[in-house]
Amino acid sequence: MPTIGFTPNLRRHVDCPGLDVAGDTVRAALEAAFAAAPPLRGYLLDDQGRLRKHVNIFVDGVPLADRVGQSDPVGAHSEIYVFQALSGG
């Protein structure tokens, strides 16, 4: 079962502990996380369901390729990590 984790910065705003999730795509894993923490959806996705500009997701250390539909595959032992990109200087 894939695992999904979130940065401490994101967890400061939304109660979203790391989870074991079902699913074979990033989107399916996110939907499982949204079921556990509904406010998380608004932090990660825009109103069209696309990943927000300042959110990044890595699957097994590889950046998410499909930011629109989050269709990147995940394996049974994949690690999905979600974080908010920081900007500024």
Side-chain angles (χ1 to χ4, degrees):
M1 186 170 279
T3 60
I4 188 166
F6 305 93
T7 60
N9 184 49
L10 186 55
R11 290 192 325 259
R12 185 172 46 135
H13 300 288
V14 179
D15 183 20
C16 54
L19 302 166
D20 291 331
V21 293
D24 58 357
T25 65
V26 170
R27 184 55 180 247
L30 287 174
E31 290 297 335
F34 298 154
L40 186 60
R41 181 183 300 273
Y43 273 87
L44 302 185
L45 304 180
D46 65 17
D47 60 347
Q48 301 296 311
R50 296 178 297 228
L51 201 61
R52 290 190 181 277
K53 181 179 178 181
H54 293 292
V55 173
N56 287 315
I57 297 178
F58 283 75
V59 178
D60 298 325
V62 178
L64 184 69
D66 179 10
R67 294 181 59 84
V68 174
Q70 304 91 47
S71 65
D72 296 38
V74 296
H77 303 289
S78 287
E79 294 180 356
I80 303 161
Y81 197 64
V82 180
F83 64 96
Q84 289 176 300
L86 301 176
S87 60

